[in-house]
Amino acid sequence: QVQLVESGGGLVQAGGSLRLSCAASGRTFSSYAMGWFRQAPGKEREFVAAVRWSGGRTFYADSVKGRFTISRDNAKNTVYLQMNTLKPEDTAVYYCASSLNWGVTISSDRPDKYDYWGQGTQVTVSS
């Protein structure tokens, strides 16, 4: 069992920045990778970024490349999402997720490849 708790969401003006944190606890040694997803009202949950615990390889959705940075601190079992140059379309509930294994794939942007989810943190970007 892995427990995930997100924090750092809030209200920010367009062009501003926020840093999200996701603290993992429990059987964190079983986790292969961590991902960030977001979901706006009336829309499907979409992939934002992911990082492997071992090696720290990162992956990003095209919509956030160059603006968002995912990182991890293995010692603290914590993953971060630094969000810069925020846009109104970034408004959503942001969820962190833990994957036990991506299988043979080099990366995963599929929600069904993640096994544990946090409760989410609201990010609102005003015009």
Side-chain angles (χ1 to χ4, degrees), residues 31-107:
S31 181
Y32 174 79
M34 297 287 291
W36 284 97
F37 291 77
R38 66 187 183 187
Q39 187 167 24
K43 298 183 179 180
E44 295 184 354
R45 188 166 299 186
E46 67 173 349
F47 172 78
V48 176
V51 61
R52 292 180 178 176
W53 285 111
S54 180
R57 291 187 65 179
T58 58
F59 310 88
Y60 297 93
D62 289 341
S63 60
V64 305
K65 285 182 178 178
R67 300 189 297 121
F68 291 9
T69 302
I70 188 171
S71 61
R72 92 277 193 246
D73 187 329
N74 296 67
K76 296 181 178 180
N77 292 316
T78 301
V79 176
Y80 307 94
L81 185 68
Q82 179 66 47
M83 305 184 294
N84 298 326
T85 320
L86 283 162
K87 305 175 181 179
E89 49 262 46
D90 294 319
T91 296
V93 176
Y94 283 70
Y95 300 90
C96 67
S98 173
S99 177
L100 298 180
N101 203 311
W102 284 343
V104 299
T105 61
I106 191 171
S107 64

Side-chain angles (χ1 to χ4, degrees), residues 1-6 21-31 34 53 76-79 96-98 100 115-119:
Q1 181 71 33
V2 176
Q3 294 81 45
L4 306 173
V5 180
E6 304 99 331
S21 299
C22 177
S25 61
R27 300 185 66 179
T28 56
F29 60 86
S30 298
S31 181
M34 297 287 291
W53 285 111
K76 296 181 178 180
N77 292 316
T78 301
V79 176
C96 67
S98 173
L100 298 180
D115 304 281
Y116 302 99
W117 295 81
Q119 294 299 307

